[in-house]
Amino acid sequence: MIENSFNRRGFLKVLGWGGATVALSGCGNTSVEDGREFVTSYVQTADYIIPSIGTYFNSTCAQCDAGCGIMGRVREGRVLKLEGNPKSSINNGKMCGLGQAGVQAHYNPDRIREPLLRNGDKGEAIPWGKALELINEKIGGVKAENIAFLTGGVSGHVKALLKNYLDALGSGHHYVYEAVAPSIMRAANRKTYGVEMPRLRLDKAKVVVSFGADFLGAWISPVHFSQQYARFRKADNGERGVLVQVESKMTLTGANADRWLAIRPGTEGILALGLINALAAAGLSVPGDVAAVVREYTTDRVSKDTGVSAEHIGRLAALLKERSPSLVIAGSAAEGYAHGSQNATAIALLNQVLGNVGKTVEAPSSIPFPQMAPSTGNRFALQSLNDNMAQDKVKVLFSYGVNPVFTAPASMKLKENLKKVPFKVVFAHYMDETALEADLVLPLNSALEDWATVMPEYVAEGAQLNIQQPLMEKLYPGTLGMGDILLALLKQRRPDEYKGYEDFYSYLRSAMVSNKGALGGSTTDDDTFWDATLSHGVVKLVSTPVNMSGNVSAKGLVVPGPFAEDSAYPFHLIPAVSASLRDGRNANEPWLQESPDPLTTIVWDSWVEMHPKTAAKLGIVEGDIVEVASRSGAIKAQVYVFTGIHPDVISVPLGYGHEAMGRYAKGVGVNAFKILDPVFDKETGELAMHETRVKVSKAGRRVVIVKDEGPAGGNQMGRKIAVRVSSNKVNLSEEV
Amino acid sequence: MYCFLRFSILLVGLIVSAGSYAVNAAQPLTTADDLGPKVEQPIEFPHDRHAGDAAKGGMQINCMYCHTYARRSIVAGIPPLQKCIGCHQNIESVRETPRIKKLFEYWEAKKAVPWKKVHDLPDFVRFNHERHIQRFVFAQNKPVQEACGYCHGDVKTMTVARRQKPLSMGWCVSCHQKDHPVDATSTKTTHGPNDCWQCHK
């Protein structure tokens, strides 16, 4: 929360004086700068560039990992606004608010502008040549197995160069870490479908049952799914698809659903098995082994375990049976438990029984260049790096595209373990929490001034390689692109192989042009191919659908019963992934802090979301500052009372609470990552994000929550603007 | 009697129509000068040599040959350096003069010439060159130098340009209130827009 003694009265006073000053200075055209201001013309320019008229260049959005194609409007050499690139099959010319804020990442005043070497507590600016030489020297002094490279999800030519660099060092220690990633779902998908990321066809489904997958907000590729969702809601045949969202804390997708079912946390798998049982009872043919497993999940028992009424379960089963094909999605809410893999498998089993595999769950395409395929990350990777650091096995650590000091739970003691690493190199845009721990900070180009290729994990059609190209000149001469840095490092190790490339651009161009046959340019000459590639911003790759080989077996599938009561820590903490802030990497973009959360309308702060019943029981009202304490730590934030949450659950959004990073992120809200308990998924070893149990106590103070919602707290003052009926009053027989 | 009445009505009609014709006749758009500050430029560009009358040693180059953006953008734009060089690399006679040597120095260093702004408006005013050029030059067939000269004065007689007109709001409005024919052949007249948001948006 922002604590400030500057109150409303003071604000108005300043506004008054400020207004008077503006009025005074308004006399006499002070903004006219005849003979003082420069008017700089181009030295050389293309005919299509006309001052004051925007030119659009295609590139790729780097705000999240979905890899949407973007078009940047460039005027007088400055990028002004981003739009979606219609040629990209991921977003088809559309864009989200997070993507729009990409210009604020580029023009951000807190970007690092030159390489910094640690000197005590301070960073000392050094030239690039010295920085790269220092890396060479440090690497030369340690064994290859003691070098570790920690990155976020990487793909394309940067990934290929990174692998070559690690090969040149003789070390295979590449840890790929993503703080919020559907990694348990990926593992479950691999087991059940044979592929990590099958294509979900919401547009082909007549019913979608989503177990906590916020596909309209923050899940995998929201812009793409939003477009599919539009076709699902308004199908060509006029039949409106029905969305049922099952989750413990309402997401944006849940708010859009026809029916939102609040489920007791962690019991998603039980409901899935109960639905299979109900479907079998209703006459759907279910394989014998599956029927045997689900037999004990009677509607009564499932209703008791999950808190979803028997009537709702019956309606849902009838709906699924009546309307085919359907689609069942396991989202982060279902997989965030110690039995997350079982939950995801049970949900996949439901898809299988409903016959959706091959209809609404489709095979993805093969990737022609596996060395550029996206390496997806998980939290297990960070855990293993952390263990190695604790055992002094890491002597030189590189970190790129991640901020583990911010996103790792306090129980991992990552910050302490980092201190054991003698030389840490962090490639960063901001002085974030991880960069502050570094010995050498290397400033990166922004995504709008850098060259790269990106291969997104989720592609809608075929396989696709996205081009990321500079939309304008670098703002600061002291920054470099990741590709350029890796190339320079590779030149130290393999000079013969790489000396021909002046910079990463020339490497990229030659790599692309020499493979133009596979990139759809076999009949054109090199220059035409390259110009077309840059102009389109995406390259369609020749590919075929892979076989979905996996098989869901009910054998050995055990979904544990609901959680036992915990009197010391009675509530489940759901760390919410918001559409704007995600894992916090974009927290220093003020548009994102300023845009209200879609459900609570809160801005510029964290909040603790709780059900009115829970609040009443604890004697808490909106705006009370409460302490949320887990076994691993405690945070304090304002309470927001909201009916869209299970009474056993409280929720705190992620991404807030930076201790560094920049003026817009630092000190705003609290960091919910820190108090997550070290509970792991039993099959994959992933951190179970939803397993943390907490207690809530009043911390004494009460504040006025800063939000867009009206002072009446959304009760609509008696007007029926958005009609709301509690689920036990709904006449289900009149509904779908 | 009737005849006389008819005649007098005709006469009155004629006088009225003649009077209204006189009111509708196009008014001159030129205004008195109000000089701006003298601006020192990195290269003393001779507008008179380039655009001036042939009799006075000028080349009579069209304004829009260099200020090519004026007809298609809100700004007239300073021409890119390559435009200067495009001609001057073939004009050997002046190649060694100080100003042209300086010009080539910028070109060889690939540096933009740091010209100073001569005509500037407050940031809350949006003046559109394209609209004025399209109206006067292309719709009304006014000579280019006359049309540009309404605001910029007689640039063809200057070396480095200097602001000639007040460029104040009252001055803009004084012209927008005058009638002018809608195009070169029409007898219909109109005047410039009077909406606030035409310029303040």
Side-chain angles (χ1 to χ4, degrees), chain A residues 296-313:
Chain A
E296 56 190 280
Y297 291 91
T298 61
T299 302
D300 283 347
R301 180 201 151 183
V302 171
S303 172
K304 195 163 138 279
D305 284 354
T306 60
V308 177
S309 77
E311 195 187 5
H312 274 130
I313 297 171

mmCIF file with all atom_site columns, all heavy atoms in Angstrom, chain A residues 296-313:
data_model
loop_
_atom_site.group_PDB
_atom_site.id
_atom_site.type_symbol
_atom_site.label_atom_id
_atom_site.label_alt_id
_atom_site.label_comp_id
_atom_site.label_asym_id
_atom_site.label_entity_id
_atom_site.label_seq_id
_atom_site.pdbx_PDB_ins_code
_atom_site.Cartn_x
_atom_site.Cartn_y
_atom_site.Cartn_z
_atom_site.occupancy
_atom_site.B_iso_or_equiv
_atom_site.pdbx_formal_charge
_atom_site.auth_seq_id
_atom_site.auth_comp_id
_atom_site.auth_asym_id
_atom_site.auth_atom_id
_atom_site.pdbx_PDB_model_num
ATOM 1   N N   . GLU A 1 296 ? -16.910 -45.208 -6.957  1.00 0.00 ? 296 GLU A N   1
ATOM 2   C CA  . GLU A 1 296 ? -17.117 -44.750 -5.583  1.00 0.00 ? 296 GLU A CA  1
ATOM 3   C C   . GLU A 1 296 ? -17.387 -43.251 -5.492  1.00 0.00 ? 296 GLU A C   1
ATOM 4   O O   . GLU A 1 296 ? -17.734 -42.746 -4.424  1.00 0.00 ? 296 GLU A O   1
ATOM 5   C CB  . GLU A 1 296 ? -15.908 -45.114 -4.718  1.00 0.00 ? 296 GLU A CB  1
ATOM 6   C CG  . GLU A 1 296 ? -14.617 -44.570 -5.276  1.00 0.00 ? 296 GLU A CG  1
ATOM 7   C CD  . GLU A 1 296 ? -13.408 -45.145 -4.557  1.00 0.00 ? 296 GLU A CD  1
ATOM 8   O OE1 . GLU A 1 296 ? -13.130 -44.646 -3.469  1.00 0.00 ? 296 GLU A OE1 1
ATOM 9   O OE2 . GLU A 1 296 ? -12.769 -46.077 -5.079  1.00 0.00 ? 296 GLU A OE2 1
ATOM 10  N N   . TYR A 1 297 ? -17.220 -42.531 -6.627  1.00 0.00 ? 297 TYR A N   1
ATOM 11  C CA  . TYR A 1 297 ? -17.460 -41.088 -6.586  1.00 0.00 ? 297 TYR A CA  1
ATOM 12  C C   . TYR A 1 297 ? -18.928 -40.800 -6.883  1.00 0.00 ? 297 TYR A C   1
ATOM 13  O O   . TYR A 1 297 ? -19.279 -40.289 -7.944  1.00 0.00 ? 297 TYR A O   1
ATOM 14  C CB  . TYR A 1 297 ? -16.530 -40.357 -7.561  1.00 0.00 ? 297 TYR A CB  1
ATOM 15  C CG  . TYR A 1 297 ? -15.095 -40.397 -7.123  1.00 0.00 ? 297 TYR A CG  1
ATOM 16  C CD1 . TYR A 1 297 ? -14.240 -41.422 -7.536  1.00 0.00 ? 297 TYR A CD1 1
ATOM 17  C CD2 . TYR A 1 297 ? -14.600 -39.435 -6.250  1.00 0.00 ? 297 TYR A CD2 1
ATOM 18  C CE1 . TYR A 1 297 ? -12.935 -41.482 -7.096  1.00 0.00 ? 297 TYR A CE1 1
ATOM 19  C CE2 . TYR A 1 297 ? -13.286 -39.482 -5.817  1.00 0.00 ? 297 TYR A CE2 1
ATOM 20  C CZ  . TYR A 1 297 ? -12.459 -40.505 -6.237  1.00 0.00 ? 297 TYR A CZ  1
ATOM 21  O OH  . TYR A 1 297 ? -11.166 -40.545 -5.801  1.00 0.00 ? 297 TYR A OH  1
ATOM 22  N N   . THR A 1 298 ? -19.753 -41.154 -5.964  1.00 0.00 ? 298 THR A N   1
ATOM 23  C CA  . THR A 1 298 ? -21.185 -40.910 -6.149  1.00 0.00 ? 298 THR A CA  1
ATOM 24  C C   . THR A 1 298 ? -21.455 -39.420 -6.007  1.00 0.00 ? 298 THR A C   1
ATOM 25  O O   . THR A 1 298 ? -20.680 -38.679 -5.386  1.00 0.00 ? 298 THR A O   1
ATOM 26  C CB  . THR A 1 298 ? -21.996 -41.643 -5.078  1.00 0.00 ? 298 THR A CB  1
ATOM 27  O OG1 . THR A 1 298 ? -21.584 -41.125 -3.816  1.00 0.00 ? 298 THR A OG1 1
ATOM 28  C CG2 . THR A 1 298 ? -21.781 -43.140 -5.131  1.00 0.00 ? 298 THR A CG2 1
ATOM 29  N N   . THR A 1 299 ? -22.551 -38.979 -6.601  1.00 0.00 ? 299 THR A N   1
ATOM 30  C CA  . THR A 1 299 ? -22.873 -37.554 -6.583  1.00 0.00 ? 299 THR A CA  1
ATOM 31  C C   . THR A 1 299 ? -22.948 -37.022 -5.159  1.00 0.00 ? 299 THR A C   1
ATOM 32  O O   . THR A 1 299 ? -22.463 -35.938 -4.861  1.00 0.00 ? 299 THR A O   1
ATOM 33  C CB  . THR A 1 299 ? -24.188 -37.324 -7.330  1.00 0.00 ? 299 THR A CB  1
ATOM 34  O OG1 . THR A 1 299 ? -24.028 -37.819 -8.662  1.00 0.00 ? 299 THR A OG1 1
ATOM 35  C CG2 . THR A 1 299 ? -24.534 -35.849 -7.391  1.00 0.00 ? 299 THR A CG2 1
ATOM 36  N N   . ASP A 1 300 ? -23.521 -37.808 -4.277  1.00 0.00 ? 300 ASP A N   1
ATOM 37  C CA  . ASP A 1 300 ? -23.651 -37.351 -2.901  1.00 0.00 ? 300 ASP A CA  1
ATOM 38  C C   . ASP A 1 300 ? -22.289 -37.120 -2.257  1.00 0.00 ? 300 ASP A C   1
ATOM 39  O O   . ASP A 1 300 ? -22.048 -36.096 -1.619  1.00 0.00 ? 300 ASP A O   1
ATOM 40  C CB  . ASP A 1 300 ? -24.436 -38.385 -2.067  1.00 0.00 ? 300 ASP A CB  1
ATOM 41  C CG  . ASP A 1 300 ? -25.916 -38.278 -2.359  1.00 0.00 ? 300 ASP A CG  1
ATOM 42  O OD1 . ASP A 1 300 ? -26.299 -37.263 -2.995  1.00 0.00 ? 300 ASP A OD1 1
ATOM 43  O OD2 . ASP A 1 300 ? -26.662 -39.201 -1.999  1.00 0.00 ? 300 ASP A OD2 1
ATOM 44  N N   . ARG A 1 301 ? -21.418 -38.091 -2.468  1.00 0.00 ? 301 ARG A N   1
ATOM 45  C CA  . ARG A 1 301 ? -20.098 -37.975 -1.850  1.00 0.00 ? 301 ARG A CA  1
ATOM 46  C C   . ARG A 1 301 ? -19.332 -36.803 -2.466  1.00 0.00 ? 301 ARG A C   1
ATOM 47  O O   . ARG A 1 301 ? -18.692 -36.010 -1.752  1.00 0.00 ? 301 ARG A O   1
ATOM 48  C CB  . ARG A 1 301 ? -19.325 -39.278 -2.072  1.00 0.00 ? 301 ARG A CB  1
ATOM 49  C CG  . ARG A 1 301 ? -17.951 -39.217 -1.442  1.00 0.00 ? 301 ARG A CG  1
ATOM 50  C CD  . ARG A 1 301 ? -16.982 -40.202 -2.024  1.00 0.00 ? 301 ARG A CD  1
ATOM 51  N NE  . ARG A 1 301 ? -15.639 -39.640 -1.892  1.00 0.00 ? 301 ARG A NE  1
ATOM 52  C CZ  . ARG A 1 301 ? -14.561 -40.210 -2.346  1.00 0.00 ? 301 ARG A CZ  1
ATOM 53  N NH1 . ARG A 1 301 ? -14.635 -41.376 -2.964  1.00 0.00 ? 301 ARG A NH1 1
ATOM 54  N NH2 . ARG A 1 301 ? -13.396 -39.657 -2.184  1.00 0.00 ? 301 ARG A NH2 1
ATOM 55  N N   . VAL A 1 302 ? -19.408 -36.699 -3.787  1.00 0.00 ? 302 VAL A N   1
ATOM 56  C CA  . VAL A 1 302 ? -18.679 -35.623 -4.471  1.00 0.00 ? 302 VAL A CA  1
ATOM 57  C C   . VAL A 1 302 ? -19.213 -34.271 -4.013  1.00 0.00 ? 302 VAL A C   1
ATOM 58  O O   . VAL A 1 302 ? -18.459 -33.336 -3.750  1.00 0.00 ? 302 VAL A O   1
ATOM 59  C CB  . VAL A 1 302 ? -18.808 -35.788 -6.002  1.00 0.00 ? 302 VAL A CB  1
ATOM 60  C CG1 . VAL A 1 302 ? -18.260 -34.563 -6.715  1.00 0.00 ? 302 VAL A CG1 1
ATOM 61  C CG2 . VAL A 1 302 ? -18.079 -37.037 -6.455  1.00 0.00 ? 302 VAL A CG2 1
ATOM 62  N N   . SER A 1 303 ? -20.532 -34.182 -3.888  1.00 0.00 ? 303 SER A N   1
ATOM 63  C CA  . SER A 1 303 ? -21.131 -32.924 -3.453  1.00 0.00 ? 303 SER A CA  1
ATOM 64  C C   . SER A 1 303 ? -20.642 -32.567 -2.053  1.00 0.00 ? 303 SER A C   1
ATOM 65  O O   . SER A 1 303 ? -20.329 -31.408 -1.763  1.00 0.00 ? 303 SER A O   1
ATOM 66  C CB  . SER A 1 303 ? -22.650 -33.068 -3.488  1.00 0.00 ? 303 SER A CB  1
ATOM 67  O OG  . SER A 1 303 ? -23.244 -31.942 -2.908  1.00 0.00 ? 303 SER A OG  1
ATOM 68  N N   . LYS A 1 304 ? -20.552 -33.563 -1.205  1.00 0.00 ? 304 LYS A N   1
ATOM 69  C CA  . LYS A 1 304 ? -20.099 -33.313 0.165   1.00 0.00 ? 304 LYS A CA  1
ATOM 70  C C   . LYS A 1 304 ? -18.626 -32.885 0.176   1.00 0.00 ? 304 LYS A C   1
ATOM 71  O O   . LYS A 1 304 ? -18.248 -31.944 0.878   1.00 0.00 ? 304 LYS A O   1
ATOM 72  C CB  . LYS A 1 304 ? -20.287 -34.597 0.977   1.00 0.00 ? 304 LYS A CB  1
ATOM 73  C CG  . LYS A 1 304 ? -20.205 -34.409 2.471   1.00 0.00 ? 304 LYS A CG  1
ATOM 74  C CD  . LYS A 1 304 ? -20.803 -35.627 3.184   1.00 0.00 ? 304 LYS A CD  1
ATOM 75  C CE  . LYS A 1 304 ? -19.952 -36.031 4.366   1.00 0.00 ? 304 LYS A CE  1
ATOM 76  N NZ  . LYS A 1 304 ? -18.779 -36.848 4.039   1.00 0.00 ? 304 LYS A NZ  1
ATOM 77  N N   . ASP A 1 305 ? -17.808 -33.554 -0.651  1.00 0.00 ? 305 ASP A N   1
ATOM 78  C CA  . ASP A 1 305 ? -16.372 -33.261 -0.665  1.00 0.00 ? 305 ASP A CA  1
ATOM 79  C C   . ASP A 1 305 ? -16.070 -31.904 -1.297  1.00 0.00 ? 305 ASP A C   1
ATOM 80  O O   . ASP A 1 305 ? -15.185 -31.179 -0.849  1.00 0.00 ? 305 ASP A O   1
ATOM 81  C CB  . ASP A 1 305 ? -15.617 -34.335 -1.457  1.00 0.00 ? 305 ASP A CB  1
ATOM 82  C CG  . ASP A 1 305 ? -15.487 -35.618 -0.655  1.00 0.00 ? 305 ASP A CG  1
ATOM 83  O OD1 . ASP A 1 305 ? -15.880 -35.616 0.521   1.00 0.00 ? 305 ASP A OD1 1
ATOM 84  O OD2 . ASP A 1 305 ? -14.991 -36.614 -1.213  1.00 0.00 ? 305 ASP A OD2 1
ATOM 85  N N   . THR A 1 306 ? -16.775 -31.587 -2.387  1.00 0.00 ? 306 THR A N   1
ATOM 86  C CA  . THR A 1 306 ? -16.391 -30.405 -3.167  1.00 0.00 ? 306 THR A CA  1
ATOM 87  C C   . THR A 1 306 ? -17.165 -29.165 -2.753  1.00 0.00 ? 306 THR A C   1
ATOM 88  O O   . THR A 1 306 ? -16.741 -28.053 -3.064  1.00 0.00 ? 306 THR A O   1
ATOM 89  C CB  . THR A 1 306 ? -16.659 -30.634 -4.667  1.00 0.00 ? 306 THR A CB  1
ATOM 90  O OG1 . THR A 1 306 ? -18.062 -30.894 -4.838  1.00 0.00 ? 306 THR A OG1 1
ATOM 91  C CG2 . THR A 1 306 ? -15.857 -31.797 -5.197  1.00 0.00 ? 306 THR A CG2 1
ATOM 92  N N   . GLY A 1 307 ? -18.313 -29.356 -2.110  1.00 0.00 ? 307 GLY A N   1
ATOM 93  C CA  . GLY A 1 307 ? -19.138 -28.200 -1.785  1.00 0.00 ? 307 GLY A CA  1
ATOM 94  C C   . GLY A 1 307 ? -19.995 -27.746 -2.950  1.00 0.00 ? 307 GLY A C   1
ATOM 95  O O   . GLY A 1 307 ? -20.660 -26.717 -2.859  1.00 0.00 ? 307 GLY A O   1
ATOM 96  N N   . VAL A 1 308 ? -19.966 -28.464 -4.063  1.00 0.00 ? 308 VAL A N   1
ATOM 97  C CA  . VAL A 1 308 ? -20.813 -28.133 -5.203  1.00 0.00 ? 308 VAL A CA  1
ATOM 98  C C   . VAL A 1 308 ? -22.103 -28.943 -5.033  1.00 0.00 ? 308 VAL A C   1
ATOM 99  O O   . VAL A 1 308 ? -22.046 -30.151 -4.815  1.00 0.00 ? 308 VAL A O   1
ATOM 100 C CB  . VAL A 1 308 ? -20.122 -28.490 -6.540  1.00 0.00 ? 308 VAL A CB  1
ATOM 101 C CG1 . VAL A 1 308 ? -21.038 -28.200 -7.714  1.00 0.00 ? 308 VAL A CG1 1
ATOM 102 C CG2 . VAL A 1 308 ? -18.822 -27.716 -6.672  1.00 0.00 ? 308 VAL A CG2 1
ATOM 103 N N   . SER A 1 309 ? -23.263 -28.314 -5.166  1.00 0.00 ? 309 SER A N   1
ATOM 104 C CA  . SER A 1 309 ? -24.511 -29.003 -4.849  1.00 0.00 ? 309 SER A CA  1
ATOM 105 C C   . SER A 1 309 ? -24.770 -30.145 -5.829  1.00 0.00 ? 309 SER A C   1
ATOM 106 O O   . SER A 1 309 ? -24.344 -30.103 -6.995  1.00 0.00 ? 309 SER A O   1
ATOM 107 C CB  . SER A 1 309 ? -25.678 -28.021 -4.881  1.00 0.00 ? 309 SER A CB  1
ATOM 108 O OG  . SER A 1 309 ? -26.023 -27.750 -6.219  1.00 0.00 ? 309 SER A OG  1
ATOM 109 N N   . ALA A 1 310 ? -25.475 -31.169 -5.338  1.00 0.00 ? 310 ALA A N   1
ATOM 110 C CA  . ALA A 1 310 ? -25.774 -32.343 -6.164  1.00 0.00 ? 310 ALA A CA  1
ATOM 111 C C   . ALA A 1 310 ? -26.547 -31.940 -7.405  1.00 0.00 ? 310 ALA A C   1
ATOM 112 O O   . ALA A 1 310 ? -26.355 -32.490 -8.494  1.00 0.00 ? 310 ALA A O   1
ATOM 113 C CB  . ALA A 1 310 ? -26.560 -33.358 -5.341  1.00 0.00 ? 310 ALA A CB  1
ATOM 114 N N   . GLU A 1 311 ? -27.396 -30.952 -7.253  1.00 0.00 ? 311 GLU A N   1
ATOM 115 C CA  . GLU A 1 311 ? -28.194 -30.505 -8.389  1.00 0.00 ? 311 GLU A CA  1
ATOM 116 C C   . GLU A 1 311 ? -27.288 -29.924 -9.487  1.00 0.00 ? 311 GLU A C   1
ATOM 117 O O   . GLU A 1 311 ? -27.452 -30.210 -10.670 1.00 0.00 ? 311 GLU A O   1
ATOM 118 C CB  . GLU A 1 311 ? -29.179 -29.446 -7.905  1.00 0.00 ? 311 GLU A CB  1
ATOM 119 C CG  . GLU A 1 311 ? -30.287 -29.183 -8.893  1.00 0.00 ? 311 GLU A CG  1
ATOM 120 C CD  . GLU A 1 311 ? -31.163 -28.015 -8.481  1.00 0.00 ? 311 GLU A CD  1
ATOM 121 O OE1 . GLU A 1 311 ? -30.841 -27.364 -7.461  1.00 0.00 ? 311 GLU A OE1 1
ATOM 122 O OE2 . GLU A 1 311 ? -32.151 -27.764 -9.166  1.00 0.00 ? 311 GLU A OE2 1
ATOM 123 N N   . HIS A 1 312 ? -26.313 -29.129 -9.073  1.00 0.00 ? 312 HIS A N   1
ATOM 124 C CA  . HIS A 1 312 ? -25.376 -28.551 -10.047 1.00 0.00 ? 312 HIS A CA  1
ATOM 125 C C   . HIS A 1 312 ? -24.583 -29.646 -10.744 1.00 0.00 ? 312 HIS A C   1
ATOM 126 O O   . HIS A 1 312 ? -24.344 -29.571 -11.950 1.00 0.00 ? 312 HIS A O   1
ATOM 127 C CB  . HIS A 1 312 ? -24.418 -27.592 -9.346  1.00 0.00 ? 312 HIS A CB  1
ATOM 128 C CG  . HIS A 1 312 ? -24.966 -26.211 -9.228  1.00 0.00 ? 312 HIS A CG  1
ATOM 129 N ND1 . HIS A 1 312 ? -24.980 -25.518 -8.041  1.00 0.00 ? 312 HIS A ND1 1
ATOM 130 C CD2 . HIS A 1 312 ? -25.527 -25.396 -10.139 1.00 0.00 ? 312 HIS A CD2 1
ATOM 131 C CE1 . HIS A 1 312 ? -25.533 -24.336 -8.236  1.00 0.00 ? 312 HIS A CE1 1
ATOM 132 N NE2 . HIS A 1 312 ? -25.876 -24.240 -9.497  1.00 0.00 ? 312 HIS A NE2 1
ATOM 133 N N   . ILE A 1 313 ? -24.159 -30.640 -9.986  1.00 0.00 ? 313 ILE A N   1
ATOM 134 C CA  . ILE A 1 313 ? -23.381 -31.729 -10.594 1.00 0.00 ? 313 ILE A CA  1
ATOM 135 C C   . ILE A 1 313 ? -24.249 -32.442 -11.619 1.00 0.00 ? 313 ILE A C   1
ATOM 136 O O   . ILE A 1 313 ? -23.809 -32.733 -12.737 1.00 0.00 ? 313 ILE A O   1
ATOM 137 C CB  . ILE A 1 313 ? -22.872 -32.695 -9.505  1.00 0.00 ? 313 ILE A CB  1
ATOM 138 C CG1 . ILE A 1 313 ? -21.912 -31.961 -8.563  1.00 0.00 ? 313 ILE A CG1 1
ATOM 139 C CG2 . ILE A 1 313 ? -22.172 -33.898 -10.136 1.00 0.00 ? 313 ILE A CG2 1
ATOM 140 C CD1 . ILE A 1 313 ? -21.516 -32.744 -7.343  1.00 0.00 ? 313 ILE A CD1 1
#
